[in-house]
Amino acid sequence: MDKLLEQSTALNLLLEALEEEQYDKQAHALVSKLNKISPQDLAAAKNELDTLSPSTHTVLYLHILLAGIDVSAASGKAVPRQLPAAVLPEGSLWPYIVQLLLECDQIQIRYCGTQFLKVVDCVALGAEQTLNYVPAIQLIHHVILRLDETSSTLTSTHRTFIRLCLLAQAYAEALDILDRPIYHIPTQQNDFQGSKEMCSSSQPTWKYLSPTTGLTHPISSRTYMEYYLLGGMCYMAMRRYRDALFFLEVVLSTPTLQNVASSIMIEAYKKWLLVGLLLDGVAPTAPKNASQTAMRHIRAIAKPYECVADAFKTNNIDRLRAEIEAGNAFWQEDGNYGLMVELFQSFRKFSILRMGKTFDALSVAEVAGRTSPSPSNVDETKAYLEGLIVSGELGAVIMGTDKGEVLRFLPASQKSEAQVETVLASQTRELGAFLAHIQNTEHRMEVSKEYIDFLKKLKKMKDEDKKNGTTNGARADDVDEDMMEEY
């Protein structure tokens, strides 16, 4: 143990001296040495966790802790397929797990990502096992931002975190991660080949947050779609329907094998259709980059939802009520009953908004006769209209006249100069961040195996043309087109 502690201490000294190449070798050597020690022998050093600091001895601390978890799981005291009590909140190993996740060194953790991810997964599994989600949500939220303060690289931990938030109905906690745009998706290839050492402080997050380091499980198309579907559901729960619509559109726009729609896309489409109706009162237009063949399959399966959308635009509340009541079993099974209820309630609001496109003014009594469930109850309609006006959903005023109260629709409001400047400043910041990530993506494309093979092929053709005394640029264009067809 003394030699291991000595090696672990050396890592910090090397990093302080900025000897990145030496640090890289030392870190790999320490991890290799620890992996050769049996879990039983490492677990026997559990008392060392009380004196070790996970912020300076992350690699050593993590391996001892994980060995303790493995030994506890193998002791036979835990129920099959469940975590041992020692790993759960209030268990003997729980304080060490918390301390590691809160204080781990962001550099050292890159060299033992597989082991670190096992601990994170244990925290998530323990939350579902005990139904005690809050500690896990707080810890995993911290882990995501500790590894990447921008949360711009999608990892399997993102999906785990959002799922726990949904199970706990902790939708507000999920928003801090969901509101941070995803720019990079990890790949299976080793991004460190021919580049700086893994410990370099200038390494972009997408290089070390990858299956190569073990800090994330491989991101399949299913993982990708599940993250955006679950995120969309969190936004819906918080009534941020515009954001929810975008997340669901990402799912629908995901490329599919042989243009066949997946069950996740079907589920996303049903919610996307209802959210679009709640937002704008009309069915949304399918994303341009969505597979048209897949969309036809989806619409055929989601036919009951299409019927509701058709009824909604007819301005016939009786037909809408009949369609919703006829499909109650579908909405319940799909978990969309609450959205349907809200959609029915919003029908009255959109009926009034549509009137504003036709009339400049209407008496409150006439509005009641056209939209109210109780046409003779003018006071109830007035109160309903006042609520829409106060919330900003209806641009209108109620004026008293000799013939009674009148609802006068106002022209679309224009933003003030200050509001426009604020929006432009926000968009400028977002565009700057977006362009920086675009440059990283372009760099990744330039060093990819496919692009290098293309350059070799292009150079060979140019050499042949030069040898033959010809300058046939058309052949180079053909190579470019052939390469694009492969994608």
Side-chain angles (χ1 to χ4, degrees):
M1 182 55 65
D2 291 339
K3 291 184 178 180
L4 291 173
L5 184 58
E6 184 179 339
Q7 282 184 270
S8 180
T9 303
L11 288 180
N12 297 288
L13 298 176
L14 287 170
L15 187 61
E16 290 175 5
L18 297 178
E19 297 181 16
E20 293 179 351
E21 185 176 353
Q22 197 63 26
Y23 182 98
D24 194 69
K25 293 179 180 178
Q26 183 74 23
H28 281 301
L30 177 58
V31 171
S32 178
K33 190 171 184 178
L34 287 167
N35 287 338
K36 294 176 181 178
I37 303 175
S38 68
Q40 291 76 15
D41 291 340
L42 275 177
K46 176 179 174 293
N47 292 335
E48 298 290 337
L49 295 177
D50 294 322
T51 57
L52 288 175
S53 170
S55 61
T56 54
H57 299 282
T58 300
V59 174
L60 181 57
Y61 191 101
L62 172 58
H63 278 78
I64 295 175
L65 175 59
L66 189 59
I69 294 174
D70 291 340
V71 169
S72 297
S75 64
K77 296 181 181 179
V79 178
R81 297 184 179 181
Q82 289 196 349
L83 295 175
V87 184
L88 304 177
E90 300 183 4
S92 59
L93 294 176
W94 181 254
Y96 303 110
I97 292 174
V98 172
Q99 191 175 9
L100 171 72
L101 298 186
L102 292 179
E103 302 177 16
C104 64
D105 179 76
Q106 299 97 318
I107 302 298
Q108 291 191 38
I109 214 66
R110 301 175 190 179
Y111 295 88
C112 47
T114 302
Q115 293 83 354
F116 183 74
L117 190 57
K118 285 182 180 179
V119 176
V120 174
D121 288 343
C122 278
V123 171
L125 290 172
E128 294 191 44
Q129 181 176 318
T130 61
L131 303 181
N132 183 10
Y133 300 107
V134 175
I137 288 173
Q138 293 174 339
L139 285 174
I140 296 177
H141 177 274
H142 178 83
V143 165
I144 291 174
L145 298 183
R146 190 165 184 81
L147 296 179
D148 176 13
E149 63 181 8
T150 65
S151 187
S152 60
T153 300
L154 182 64
T155 68
S156 55
T157 306
H158 282 72
R159 184 256 181 206
T160 299
F161 172 74
I162 300 302
R163 184 172 184 273
L164 290 178
C165 288
L166 274 174
L167 291 173
Q169 298 182 359
Y171 312 116
E173 284 73 10
L175 298 186
D176 185 50
I177 298 299
L178 294 174
D179 286 344
R180 300 168 189 259
I182 296 294
Y183 293 106
H184 306 289
I185 308 297
T187 62
Q188 292 281 14
Q189 67 184 32
N190 185 358
D191 285 322
F192 290 98
Q193 293 180 353
S195 64
K196 299 176 182 178
E197 277 69 33
M198 194 187 301
C199 60
S200 174
S201 58
S202 61
Q203 287 286 10
T205 59
W206 49 264
K207 282 201 171 184
Y208 61 81
L209 287 177
S210 71
T212 304
T213 63
L215 284 172
T216 177
H217 296 299
I219 302 297
S220 64
S221 59
R222 182 178 183 85
T223 306
Y224 176 82
M225 288 190 290
E226 283 182 347
Y227 172 75
Y228 280 97
L229 174 61
L230 298 177
M233 293 168 66
C234 287
Y235 278 129
M236 284 187 284
M238 296 299 292
R239 283 181 165 72
R240 287 178 53 176
Y241 293 128
R242 189 66 63 188
D243 294 308
L245 193 70
F246 170 74
F247 266 55
L248 297 173
E249 284 183 353
V250 171
V251 179
L252 296 178
S253 302
T254 304
T256 59
L257 184 63
Q258 297 178 345
N259 293 325
V260 177
S262 68
S263 58
I264 298 177
M265 295 177 74
I266 295 170
E267 185 175 351
Y269 178 81
K270 295 173 180 178
K271 299 182 188 301
W272 171 80
L273 188 60
L274 298 181
V275 168
L277 289 170
L278 282 170
L279 267 175
D280 304 315
V282 294
T285 304
K288 292 182 180 180
N289 51 347
S291 166
Q292 297 306 311
T293 304
M295 291 299 292
R296 283 196 294 271
H297 292 313
I298 293 172
R299 288 193 179 99
I301 295 173
K303 190 63 177 177
Y305 290 84
E306 294 283 340
C307 292
V308 170
D310 289 339
F312 195 89
K313 67 182 181 182
T314 61
N315 208 23
N316 186 331
I317 193 169
D318 292 328
R319 181 184 167 187
L320 178 64
R321 181 187 290 109
E323 290 287 357
I324 292 177
E325 290 177 351
N328 270 341
F330 291 109
W331 327 140
Q332 295 279 5
E333 184 178 350
D334 295 339
N336 293 327
Y337 181 77
L339 281 175
M340 280 295 179
V341 171
E342 192 165 349
L343 183 66
F344 181 77
Q345 293 172 345
S346 70
F347 182 85
R348 183 181 183 185
K349 176 186 73 176
F350 285 110
S351 296
I352 296 171
L353 292 177
R354 282 193 286 267
M355 289 180 186
K357 298 178 181 179
T358 306
F359 304 98
D360 290 330
L362 281 172
S363 68
V364 175
E366 191 171 356
V367 174
R370 289 170 177 264
T371 65
S372 175
S374 304
S376 60
N377 193 342
V378 178
D379 291 337
E380 186 276 336
T381 298
K382 180 184 176 183
Y384 180 76
L385 293 172
E386 289 174 340
L388 292 178
I389 293 170
V390 170
S391 66
E393 295 178 274
L394 175 62
V397 293
I398 297 176
M399 306 174 62
T401 66
D402 296 339
K403 297 181 180 180
E405 292 181 305
V406 172
L407 177 69
R408 181 168 294 279
F409 296 98
L410 300 176
S413 59
Q414 296 182 345
K415 293 182 179 179
S416 66
E417 185 176 343
Q419 289 175 318
V420 172
E421 289 179 356
T422 301
V423 171
L424 288 175
S426 175
Q427 291 178 344
T428 301
R429 289 193 298 270
E430 292 176 1
L431 182 59
F434 179 71
L435 290 176
H437 287 286
I438 286 293
Q439 291 175 352
N440 284 334
T441 302
E442 289 177 345
H443 172 72
R444 295 176 73 181
M445 290 295 292
E446 289 171 1
V447 298
S448 67
K449 180 180 181 298
E450 293 80 4
Y451 187 76
I452 292 172
D453 289 343
F454 161 71
L455 292 179
K456 289 179 180 178
K457 189 174 181 181
L458 187 60
K459 184 178 184 300
K460 184 178 179 181
M461 292 181 64
K462 287 182 177 179
D463 289 343
E464 289 177 357
D465 288 341
K466 187 176 180 180
K467 184 178 179 181
N468 297 330
T470 61
T471 55
N472 191 352
R475 294 181 62 193
D477 293 337
D478 292 340
V479 175
D480 200 0
E481 290 177 4
D482 290 342
M483 182 186 178
M484 293 305 294
E485 288 176 1
E486 293 177 3
Y487 293 91

